[in-house]
Amino acid sequence: MDPVPALPAIEYAARTDPGRDPDKQVNEDACGYRETRFGHLCVVCDGMGGHAAGREAAELAVATIFEVFEAAPPGTAPGTVLEGAVEEASRRVHVMQTSEIAMGRPGSTAVAVLMHAGGTEVAHVGDSRVYLVHEAQIFRVTRDHSIVQELVDRGLLTLEQAAHHPDANRITRALGMAADVDAELRPQPVYHVAGDAFILCSDGLSDLVEDGEILAIVAAEPAAQAAGKLVDLANARGGYDNITVIVLRARETALASSAALAPTLAEIAVTRPPNTLPAVPAATTLVETYDAAAVDRSTQPALPAPAVIPTAPDPTPAPPPSSDVPRRRSRATLGVIVVVLALAAITLLGVVLLAHIQERGGKRNATTTLPTSPGEAPGASALPLVPGSVVVPPAATPREPIVPLEPSPAPSKRR
């Protein structure tokens, strides 16, 4: 093996976590780092197709990319090797045998970064992302291969609408989806300076943590602490999917000769951090590595430059998402509606019962009297009339019959 040439100094850390969903405790993400003759290589893959099948697809993709780099002849353009490695990984995943009955064809997203003295190569397939943090700004380097991103590109959706769209997690390109899948490679390496950081992540992070929050954490923390805090923040917001983060920070500036060919920062959208961030605890890091073995490689042509994706900061927490993010959002919304309707029904029932009780009490307090003798005015008796009762007036005192008197004799005229 040829000696590895001097590579730029870097700071590297990675962390992967299954998240908080009890149904997703098999981590289908895979990540890794390898120092190659072509540069510092970082890879993140997000598997799909069932628990075991997704994990196997992601691990196979990472291992294949490393193998291709080991077998690539010296002198090959770094970007060509990177693109060919990702596409070879897709072919391997397409024909892989899995240990379980997969839910559909096993597949995986992939995002790979290769940092060398001339700049940083970036290739990806699917919706796993690469961000660049540069001088208190964050740039989204990759463009999601998803249905909603295509709608955004056509001007049919805004980025805010896309984040809450029911098809937000439906991707249009993945490793293993077909026998041949094109990897999207930036036509020129991204020019970096000392202190710049590249963040690779699966959608378990980007669905729950805003770009500006990623910037605030990565700009303020060392790589290891930043990776841990990002994962912890996603878990604090639900952790509905597996979460993987790699932070690769350059300690040296790329060669000046590559700056003229590199894309300008204006070509990548800028977002800024929110004013405040929730406190999250620090965490340890986890680095995954894989054994390398030589394989044949076929060179693939470079693709045109990806479209620019503008992003905007949002100080509010990100909505909960996952592989089933739209379904979870619907469940949360339905739950809120049910609670509100239940409270309204209880309140209405209480008002009706209170009114009924007050009405009953008023009637019971009211009294009506009956006359007890002919010619007596109502109210003269002390007998109350209660609703629903029968009042029997007291019987009249019997009187002696009237006997007609005999007429008195007329005075006599006789003496």
Side-chain angles (χ1 to χ4, degrees):
M1 180 181 294
D2 297 333
V4 177
L7 298 176
I10 63 164
E11 180 186 3
Y12 163 82
R15 179 161 175 205
T16 184
D17 189 274
R20 298 293 177 85
D21 190 337
D23 295 329
K24 294 187 177 182
Q25 290 307 296
V26 175
N27 194 345
E28 297 180 55
D29 288 357
C31 66
Y33 162 80
R34 185 66 56 86
E35 183 177 301
T36 74
R37 67 170 64 91
F38 301 97
H40 300 284
L41 176 62
C42 296
V43 183
V44 168
C45 292
D46 181 359
M48 63 194 76
H51 296 315
R55 182 185 65 248
E56 292 169 9
E59 291 177 348
L60 176 60
V62 173
T64 301
I65 292 171
F66 288 156
E67 291 172 2
V68 171
F69 269 84
E70 292 290 339
T76 309
T80 301
V81 179
L82 182 63
E83 183 181 27
V86 175
E87 293 179 346
E88 176 62 23
S90 180
R91 287 188 283 271
R92 297 276 194 91
V93 172
H94 183 71
V95 298
M96 69 170 281
Q97 299 295 321
T98 179
S99 61
E100 72 171 356
I101 300 176
M103 297 182 294
R105 177 179 292 279
S108 177
T109 68
V111 63
V113 162
L114 181 67
M115 181 180 289
H116 52 77
T120 302
E121 313 282 352
V122 179
H124 81 292
V125 173
D127 61 354
S128 294
R129 291 180 181 174
V130 174
Y131 294 91
L132 168 63
V133 170
H134 169 80
E135 295 181 351
Q137 297 175 330
I138 187 166
F139 305 85
R140 193 180 298 180
V141 181
T142 54
R143 169 185 173 276
D144 292 349
H145 297 143
S146 65
I147 291 177
V148 295
Q149 184 59 55
E150 291 183 355
L151 296 176
V152 171
D153 294 341
R154 296 173 186 175
L156 301 177
L157 288 178
T158 65
L159 286 173
E160 292 74 16
Q161 292 170 334
H164 301 277
H165 196 277
D167 295 326
N169 292 94
R170 292 183 60 186
I171 59 177
T172 58
R173 202 182 304 185
L175 303 183
M177 182 179 290
D180 294 301
V181 173
D182 292 332
E184 185 169 328
L185 172 74
R186 293 195 68 87
Q188 299 295 337
V190 178
Y191 182 74
H192 61 262
V193 300
D196 285 356
F198 290 87
I199 299 93
L200 295 73
C201 67
S202 61
D203 62 348
L205 179 83
S206 58
D207 281 348
L208 292 173
V209 181
E210 296 294 332
D211 296 3
E213 295 172 317
I214 296 174
L215 167 61
I217 292 174
V218 173
E221 302 287 348
Q225 284 74 18
K229 285 189 174 183
L230 289 172
V231 171
D232 290 339
L233 180 55
N235 272 326
R237 292 178 177 170
Y240 298 113
D241 201 356
N242 306 147
I243 310 161
T244 300
V245 180
I246 288 180
V247 178
L248 178 66
R249 179 174 281 120
R251 290 305 185 191
E252 298 178 9
T253 299
L255 298 175
S257 59
S258 64
L261 299 176
T264 63
L265 296 180
E267 293 178 331
I268 311 174
V270 179
T271 59
R272 299 184 182 278
N275 295 328
T276 59
L277 285 175
V280 293
T284 57
T285 61
L286 171 64
V287 179
E288 299 178 7
T289 58
Y290 301 84
D291 295 331
V295 296
D296 293 333
R297 176 190 57 80
S298 59
T299 304
Q300 302 294 330
L303 296 175
V308 176
I309 307 172
T311 58
D314 185 0
T316 60
S322 66
S323 57
D324 301 322
V325 165
R327 179 164 54 89
R328 290 194 182 94
R329 292 188 182 121
S330 299
R331 286 178 177 176
T333 303
L334 180 59
V336 172
I337 293 174
V338 170
V339 171
V340 171
L341 291 178
L343 291 175
I346 293 172
T347 303
L348 180 60
L349 180 60
V351 171
V352 172
L353 289 176
L354 180 61
H356 181 68
I357 291 172
Q358 291 177 343
E359 180 181 1
R360 297 271 302 178
K363 289 182 177 181
R364 287 178 177 177
N365 292 331
T367 58
T368 306
T369 57
L370 292 178
T372 58
S373 62
E376 185 180 1
S381 172
L383 295 177
L385 178 61
V386 179
S389 63
V390 177
V391 177
V392 179
T397 303
R399 300 182 180 183
E400 295 180 359
I402 299 174
V403 179
L405 300 176
E406 291 291 336
S408 300
S412 174
K413 292 183 178 180
R414 291 182 180 179
R415 296 190 181 259

